[in-house]
Amino acid sequence: MGVAADGGPVLGGGAERPDPGPDAAPRGTRPRGASSAPSASCPDSEPGTGPPTGDAAADMNPKSCLGFTKCFLFLFNLFFFALGSLLVAFGLWILFDRQSFAAVLGSPLYSLQVWSYAFSGVGIVTMLLGFLGCLGALKEIKAMLLLYFGILLLLFAAQITVGVIVYTQRITLATKVATYVQELIQGYPAQGPPKDPYESWDAVQQQLRCCGWNGPQDWNDPDGSPGDGAIACSCLEAPAPNSTHKSRLALPHGRCPTAAPQDIFPMGCAESVQGWLAENLVTVVGVCLGIGLLELCLLMLSMFLVRNLDPDYEKLLRGL
């Protein structure tokens, strides 16, 4: 480094650097009075137009997802709880007022009792799931959400198991049903109102418009020869309404010894059941798939909510 004529330092190349003066800012620092805002030439530098910073976006998205999940689980399970309450009320109504339902619907008392138990059981399970999911999502209680997830997972696994068993063992099940129906036919009373489960079999034959399991020949004597009065009255077509009776006349109970062959349902109940399944296969499969997908959706949402809740999580939706 040399010395210039005026006493200032000279760089190794001999070039003279101008004196910045006493008011100049040190190198690497912003001059005093200069604005710290970005240049006006940047299109995104105006206030309110730029995107949120990375930390703000990362903090906003999880809260939005959790808030949406909580709202969906709360509202959906609230609807489930109300639906379960209606099912329980309807089941109890059928159970305690079976005579009125039997008179209106023409169904046997035993069948109505079974349906009342089924409605009540499904309603209680639905109410339990709705209560756990609704309160667990609203109050962020992990124990209730985990119990909700566990019960829903058990129901989903049970439905798959039953479906697999019914499909793989359908031939065995059909054989057992045919044997059971044959025993019912052999013990069917000759006259008088039949008791359960004969009353239920009468309802099946009338609803499906069938006779026996394989056909009217099932009502013959066990040795194969036709028995006098072997056909049950439920195998007959109900008399058509007339000017006096606006609805179909009720058939007598027991067996009808004077049944005309043209009045007997020619089809067996096995064929009727197969025909009904063939006609409604798309509906049955669609309902099963819809229920399964709904359960999977609820399982994923509840587990997502459980995994993202912690003691330090900022409470959301306190206004609900």
Side-chain angles (χ1 to χ4, degrees), residues 66-269:
L66 287 175
F68 173 78
T69 303
K70 286 181 60 176
C71 286
F72 181 81
L73 283 177
F74 173 77
L75 295 176
F76 191 84
N77 286 284
L78 183 63
F79 168 76
F80 251 41
F81 186 82
L83 179 62
S85 303
L86 291 177
L87 289 176
V88 171
F90 189 65
L92 294 177
W93 184 19
I94 295 176
L95 183 63
F96 293 108
D97 197 15
R98 284 180 292 170
Q99 298 291 341
S100 299
F101 277 92
V104 173
L105 301 177
S107 300
L109 295 178
Y110 180 76
S111 299
L112 290 176
Q113 185 178 6
V114 171
W115 279 110
S116 66
Y117 290 152
F119 278 123
S120 300
V122 173
I124 290 174
V125 174
T126 306
M127 285 181 63
L128 177 61
L129 282 174
F131 173 77
L132 292 175
C134 186
L135 189 60
L138 180 63
K139 297 299 183 181
E140 301 173 6
I141 304 175
K142 284 189 176 182
M144 299 186 72
L145 289 174
L146 287 174
L147 185 59
Y148 173 82
F149 178 86
I151 296 177
L152 204 58
L153 183 62
L154 287 177
L155 289 176
F156 183 72
Q159 291 170 3
I160 294 179
T161 303
V162 170
V164 171
I165 291 176
V166 170
Y167 180 77
T168 57
Q169 303 293 326
R170 59 188 182 278
I171 298 178
T172 304
L173 290 174
T175 303
K176 290 183 177 181
V177 171
T179 303
Y180 178 73
V181 171
Q182 291 293 342
E183 294 176 356
L184 284 180
I185 292 175
Q186 293 176 10
Y188 194 88
Q191 59 183 359
K195 298 181 179 180
D196 300 325
Y198 307 109
E199 188 180 11
S200 299
W201 181 245
D202 283 343
V204 170
Q205 292 188 137
Q206 278 293 306
Q207 293 294 330
L208 296 180
R209 300 175 62 84
C210 59
C211 185
W213 183 249
N214 299 306
Q217 65 274 11
D218 290 345
W219 290 92
N220 295 337
D221 286 343
D223 57 0
S225 60
D228 293 337
I231 293 292
C233 297
S234 57
C235 284
L236 305 179
E237 179 75 30
N242 49 35
S243 58
T244 305
H245 299 86
K246 301 301 181 181
S247 59
R248 287 184 176 271
L249 299 177
L251 290 169
H253 297 289
R255 299 175 183 262
C256 292
T258 59
Q262 64 271 15
D263 294 334
I264 300 174
F265 297 131
M267 186 182 301
C269 292

